[in-house]
């Protein structure tokens, strides 16, 4: 397979007696957009948690960019080039917009004590450079928000929080972006805008960014994904283009809940 | 530069002058009536100033002109010390406050930044004190070395204690520190080499051939030997302040905040949660240990009763009162919490009760503390565009 970026084979994850992921196989190519759908509780978020190392898999393997990352801790997986958003927004509410975005930039922040405490000139240079980058990135999504970068996130509406969260994930320039229900709590139009902005940033980054998106809005899935995979009870029941998947009787059964 | 005095400085400078004046009167007054009247007057001034919006303007001065404000604070404290140059008690009190400020800045790094509650602050302070005492008493090392040695000892023992803390989840790691605080005091009490419950005296401290624990005579002037310790404590507190401030305003402070607020999210963005906790805990204890070592040299003795769990609670309540993570708040809170019980005999016996009530009230009604921590400002002055 040419250009397989993420290669998941036989991944299983249990919580006590519950098998949330059951022998899952999934491939994502570089620059591909994959839609991950399935009813509530089918294991989609768990899949993200397993890939990012929050919960290591009980069985199976995960390869990313040709390297085995099975069982790696979250920081190592982030360093390999996978960034994510969370289903329930997990920003640092008492910190500023800028702080929240820069937290995602850990890969490039100089962490040494000497640099941070004593080389304040050089620190200031680095700060200005990253700040400008954060403003640029945020301006793609929302120019007015880019001017409010010093304000605390607390009190900002959900749509702004989503944009900030996506910028936090993008500023590290990952190779794979995991979006967990980015449209939750937003209107149709807001979702449409958000997706357009994500695609725009992706294009500017050279189109090499692969995305896995968990989404209930089928319109979104249809419009932006190259391919879809459907989960039910932790198993992949179907995979293919949106059209093929939507027409699949197994999928219709899973969504309608008929046996 | 247009040569004119920036008016934005005025509210802040006024706050410093009034604060130091309040300290001077508090340390001078003897009768309980005058102390009570002073407190009532101080509270009234603060209340009126806050109603008139002057308090927030003072806060703005500190926020926008911090180096000037820090310099002015140091200058004001030096004037205060010169005023009391011949009196032991006020200088001892001021020095103690400054050492508590240093310890609480250590707790601020641990608790305010990285979110690790440490109920053994006084134990790490005591560890530094005992290290200094042992070095002076049993070795021939230069006595000045006992300061870094005290910090080092507290840092090292803290990095041993951190392992069980990291293995426990959530607030249980605070329980580990409580256990350590109690263990530490019990260990001192039964250890005869360290003087048991009586503790030990430290005599004949010599720094560069000069004895800091003797009063200084200049002509007819007889300066208290505590003046030297005041200067040393002020220098230590100033270094600790700059350390905390720069830490906060750097990627390190940002990382610690991220770890405190959401460990899982932080880990998903590449932060090594354990690393930042270890770093915060160790440096916080180093500050407490250095303060403790200087305290031991200053008072000339160490005893287990000075480093109890109750003292650790006082340190935590200072941080809570001042505003968790606010480095200026810690100073105001430390002065109030240390000096008031000393000057008001009425509350001295009940001080722990009062502290407990105070902490509960703060947590209930103003959980962010009296002076909530402002948003991070990476560069001094403007927004840093
Ligand atoms: N941390 C956890 N502990 C126990 N059970 C979990 C945990 N996370 C998810 N689950 C369970 O795993 C199943 C799949 O959940 P999830 O992956 O969140 O589904 P989805 O995102 O598709 O709605 C659910 O039954 C859920 O209760
Ligand atoms: Mg989910």
């Amino acid at each position: 397979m040419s250009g397989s970026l993420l290669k998941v084979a036989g991944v299983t994850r249990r919580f006590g007696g519950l098998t949330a992921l059951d022998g899952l196989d999934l491939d994502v190519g570089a620059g591909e957009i994959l839609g991950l759908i399935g009813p509530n509780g089918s294991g989609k978020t768990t899949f993200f948690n397993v890939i990012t190392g929050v919960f290591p898999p009980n069985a199976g393997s995960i390869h990313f960019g040709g390297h085995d990352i099975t069982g790696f801790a979250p920081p190592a997986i982030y360093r390999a080039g996978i960034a994510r958003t969370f289903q329930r927004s997990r920003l640092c509410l008492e910190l500023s917009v800028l702080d929240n975005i820069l937290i995602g930039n850990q890969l490039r922040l100089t962490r040494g004590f000497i640099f941070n405490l004593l080389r304040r000139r050089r620190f200031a240079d680095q700060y200005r450079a990253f700040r400008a980058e954060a403003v640029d990135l945020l301006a793609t999504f929302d120019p007015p928000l880019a001017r409010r970068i010093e304000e605390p996130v607390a009190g900002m509406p959900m749509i702004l929080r989503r944009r900030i969260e996506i910028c936090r994930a993008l500023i590290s320039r990952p190779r794979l972006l995991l979006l967990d229900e980015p449209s939750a709590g937003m209107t149709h139009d807001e979702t449409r805008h958000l997706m357009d902005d994500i695609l725009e940033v992706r294009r500017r980054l050279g189109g090499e960014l692969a995305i896995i998106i968990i989404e209930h809005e089928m319109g979104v899935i249809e419009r932006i994904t190259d391919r879809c995979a459907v989960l039910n009870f932790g198993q992949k029941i179907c995979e293919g283009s949106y059209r093929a998947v939507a027409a699949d009787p197994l999928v219709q059964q899973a969504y309608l809940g008929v046996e | 530069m247009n040569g004119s005095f920036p008016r934005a400085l005025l509210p802040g400078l006024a706050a410093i002058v009034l604060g130091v004046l309040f300290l001077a009167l508090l340390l001078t007054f003897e009768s309980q009536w005058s102390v009570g009247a002073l407190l009532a007057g101080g509270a009234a001034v603060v209340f009126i100033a806050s109603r008139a919006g002057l308090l927030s303007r003072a806060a703005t001065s500190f926020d926008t002109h911090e180096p000037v404000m820090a310099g002015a604070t140091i200058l004001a404290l030096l004037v205060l010390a010169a005023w009391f140059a011949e009196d032991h008690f006020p200088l001892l009190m001021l020095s103690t406050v400054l050492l508590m400020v240093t310890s609480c800045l250590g707790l601020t790094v641990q608790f305010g930044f990285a979110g690790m509650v440490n109920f053994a602050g006084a134990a790490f302070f005591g560890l530094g004190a005992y290290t200094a005492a042992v070095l002076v008493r049993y070795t021939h090392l230069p006595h000045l070395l006992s300061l870094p040695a005290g910090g080092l000892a507290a840092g090292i023992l803290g990095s041993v204690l951190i392992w069980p803390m990291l293995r426990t989840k959530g607030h249980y790691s605070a329980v580990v520190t409580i256990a350590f605080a109690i263990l530490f005091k019990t260990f001192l009490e039964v250890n005869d080499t360290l003087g048991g419950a009586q503790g030990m005296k430290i005599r004949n401290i010599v720094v560069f051939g000069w004895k800091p624990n003797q009063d200084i005579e200049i002509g007819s002037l007889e300066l208290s030997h505590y003046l030297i310790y005041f200067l040393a404590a002020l220098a230590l507190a100033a270094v600790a302040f700059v350390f905390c401030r720069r830490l906060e305003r750097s990627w390190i402070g940002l990382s610690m905040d991220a770890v405190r607020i959401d460990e899982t999210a932080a880990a998903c963005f590449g932060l090594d949660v354990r690393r930042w906790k270890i770093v915060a805990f160790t440096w916080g204890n180093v500050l407490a240990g250095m303060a403790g070592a200087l305290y031991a040299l200053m008072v000339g003795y160490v005893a287990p009763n000075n480093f109890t769990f109750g003292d650790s609670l006082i340190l935590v309540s200072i941080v809570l009162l001042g505003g968790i993570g606010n480095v200026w708040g810690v100073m105001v809170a430390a002065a109030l919490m240390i000096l008031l019980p000393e000057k008001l005999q009425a509350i001295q016996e009940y001080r722990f009760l009062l502290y407990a009530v105070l902490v509960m009230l703060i947590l209930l009604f103003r959980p962010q503390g009296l002076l909530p921590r402002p948003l991070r400002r990476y560069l001094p002055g403007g927004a840093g565009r």
Side-chain angles (χ1 to χ4, degrees):
Chain A
M1 261 194 70
S2 69
S4 179
L5 180 65
L6 180 76
K7 200 169 178 54
V8 174
V11 159
T12 298
R13 171 71 207 193
R14 296 185 200 91
F15 296 109
L18 179 102
T19 305
L21 282 182
D22 193 356
L24 192 71
D25 298 317
L26 201 66
D27 277 18
V28 180
E32 190 182 15
I33 302 185
L34 177 85
L36 192 60
I37 54 184
N40 269 329
S42 57
K44 304 179 300 292
T45 297
T46 302
F47 178 64
F48 279 7
N49 282 333
V50 167
I51 296 180
T52 53
V54 175
F55 300 129
N58 297 111
S61 69
I62 307 168
H63 284 76
F64 183 70
H67 299 284
D68 188 354
I69 58 164
T70 319
F72 277 27
I77 290 173
Y78 160 89
R79 267 181 256 124
I82 302 180
R84 70 177 290 182
T85 66
F86 295 89
Q87 183 170 353
R88 289 176 52 208
S89 155
R90 293 181 88 148
L91 290 170
C92 301
L93 296 186
E94 66 248 57
L95 301 186
S96 68
V97 175
L98 177 65
D99 276 357
N100 270 286
I101 295 177
L102 288 181
I103 283 172
N105 202 23
Q106 191 70 11
L107 204 57
R108 289 184 292 154
L109 301 179
T110 307
R111 293 182 306 172
F113 260 77
I114 307 271
F115 174 84
N116 275 279
L117 296 189
L118 301 177
R119 307 252 185 278
R120 291 301 286 185
R121 284 258 171 71
R122 285 171 53 197
F123 173 84
D125 291 342
Q126 193 176 79
Y127 164 75
R128 286 193 195 96
F130 287 148
R131 182 198 158 91
E133 222 174 281
V135 169
D136 259 11
L137 184 60
L138 199 52
T140 330
F141 287 87
D142 187 344
L145 182 58
R147 287 190 289 273
R148 297 170 62 190
I149 203 154
E150 310 278 349
E151 292 178 25
V153 171
M156 289 189 172
M158 193 41 102
I159 173 142
L160 299 192
R161 291 189 193 181
R162 287 282 174 208
R163 289 173 183 156
I164 298 165
E165 241 196 320
I166 290 168
C167 288
R168 175 173 70 174
L170 283 175
I171 195 152
S172 63
R173 297 177 193 155
R175 283 188 288 165
L176 174 63
L177 174 66
L178 309 177
L179 298 170
D180 197 344
E181 298 195 23
S183 72
M186 299 190 341
T187 67
H188 241 63
D189 281 351
E190 287 173 341
T191 306
R192 200 185 168 77
H193 273 288
L194 189 71
M195 293 303 149
D196 288 343
D197 295 337
I198 291 174
L199 295 181
E200 164 67 17
V201 171
R202 179 164 164 278
R203 203 178 47 76
R204 277 209 274 148
L205 293 176
E208 280 301 282
L209 172 70
I211 298 177
I212 306 181
I213 177 169
I214 298 176
E215 189 48 73
H216 285 305
E217 288 262 351
M218 287 307 144
V220 172
I221 293 285
E222 180 174 16
R223 193 160 62 87
I224 75 167
T225 61
D226 302 317
R227 195 159 58 92
C228 289
V230 187
L231 293 191
N232 197 22
F233 295 112
Q235 289 176 332
K236 186 172 74 181
I237 56 169
C238 185
E239 188 176 351
S241 72
Y242 173 78
R243 255 165 217 287
V245 162
D248 192 296
L250 267 177
V251 175
Q252 291 176 346
Q253 234 177 51
Y255 268 94
L256 295 174
V258 278
E259 283 299 306
Chain B
M1 289 289 280
N2 53 14
S4 76
F5 186 77
R7 287 187 59 197
L9 286 177
L10 275 178
L13 292 178
I16 292 173
V17 170
L18 285 176
V20 168
L21 196 66
F22 178 83
L23 275 182
L25 293 175
L26 184 64
L27 288 167
T28 310
F29 286 171
E30 296 288 346
S31 92
Q32 295 299 291
W33 282 112
S34 45
V35 173
L38 178 68
L39 286 181
V45 168
V46 170
F47 181 75
I48 293 169
S50 105
R51 272 298 153 93
L54 290 172
L55 226 49
S56 61
R57 282 177 59 194
T60 310
S61 318
F62 276 87
D63 203 27
T64 52
H65 294 83
E66 186 164 272
V68 181
M69 291 301 143
T73 305
I74 289 178
L75 197 69
L77 286 173
L78 287 174
V79 170
L80 189 65
W83 175 256
F84 288 122
E86 297 179 43
D87 303 331
H88 290 323
F89 181 74
L91 287 176
L92 175 63
M93 282 293 104
L94 287 173
S95 313
T96 308
V97 168
L98 286 168
L99 293 176
M100 291 302 143
V101 166
T102 304
S103 300
C104 289
L105 287 173
L107 285 191
T108 295
V109 175
Q110 300 173 336
F111 180 38
F113 297 174
M116 313 176 76
V117 195
N118 180 0
F119 284 112
F124 288 105
F125 185 86
L127 189 66
Y130 266 88
T131 305
V134 167
L135 283 186
V136 171
R137 208 178 152 105
Y138 295 114
T139 72
H140 297 288
L141 290 171
H143 294 165
L144 197 60
L145 266 189
S146 48
L147 287 190
L152 199 66
I156 289 173
L157 200 70
S159 54
V160 174
L161 187 68
I162 187 94
W163 292 106
M165 287 177 70
L166 289 176
R167 303 199 60 137
T168 53
K169 283 242 181 293
H171 295 297
Y172 289 108
S173 73
V175 178
V176 176
T177 66
I178 296 177
F180 174 70
I182 292 167
L183 201 75
F184 177 75
K185 180 168 177 266
T186 313
F187 169 77
L188 293 179
E189 278 171 346
V190 298
N191 190 315
D192 287 333
T193 328
L194 297 175
Q198 267 70 51
M200 39 180 185
K201 282 199 155 55
I202 324 168
R203 288 202 198 83
N204 304 327
I205 295 152
V206 184
V207 174
F208 300 126
W210 170 68
K211 296 187 171 139
N213 286 22
Q214 288 175 0
D215 292 346
I216 313 144
E217 281 179 48
I218 305 173
S220 64
L221 221 58
E222 197 171 295
L223 303 181
S224 164
H225 70 270
Y226 286 122
L227 195 55
I228 300 304
Y229 283 104
F230 170 85
L231 294 176
L234 182 60
L236 185 61
V239 170
F241 178 86
V242 173
F243 173 77
C244 282
R245 215 22 157 186
R246 291 195 173 180
L247 197 75
E248 183 190 356
R249 295 176 164 182
S250 74
W251 306 139
I252 299 176
L254 177 68
S255 302
M256 287 180 179
D257 279 343
V259 165
R260 179 189 75 245
I261 296 168
D262 188 337
E263 281 186 23
T264 305
C268 286
F269 289 100
L271 284 103
D272 187 339
V273 172
R274 289 157 73 93
R275 172 200 151 114
W276 290 119
K277 286 189 169 184
I278 294 171
V279 166
F281 198 65
T282 304
W283 278 103
N285 290 331
V286 166
L287 290 185
M290 298 224 296
L294 187 55
Y295 179 81
L297 300 186
M298 175 172 81
V299 297
Y301 75 94
V302 288
N305 269 337
N306 291 340
F307 315 116
T308 62
F309 179 56
D311 295 297
S312 295
L313 283 183
I314 294 183
L315 294 179
V316 173
S317 30
I318 289 174
V319 174
L320 282 177
L321 180 69
I324 302 162
N326 184 337
V327 288
W328 285 101
V330 156
M331 293 188 209
V332 178
L336 291 177
M337 296 282 268
I338 304 296
L339 295 182
L340 287 190
E342 288 295 337
K343 295 304 287 194
L344 272 183
Q345 277 112 34
I347 64 170
Q348 193 152 33
E349 280 183 48
Y350 306 103
R351 61 198 286 178
F352 286 118
L353 186 72
L354 272 175
Y355 287 151
V357 172
L358 190 68
V359 167
M360 279 190 275
L361 287 179
I362 294 169
L363 291 179
L364 274 177
F365 295 110
R366 211 176 153 89
Q368 69 279 54
L370 288 189
L371 301 168
R373 176 181 173 189
L375 283 178
R376 187 191 329 277
R377 173 194 292 286
Y378 286 95
L379 306 180
R385 258 167 265 263

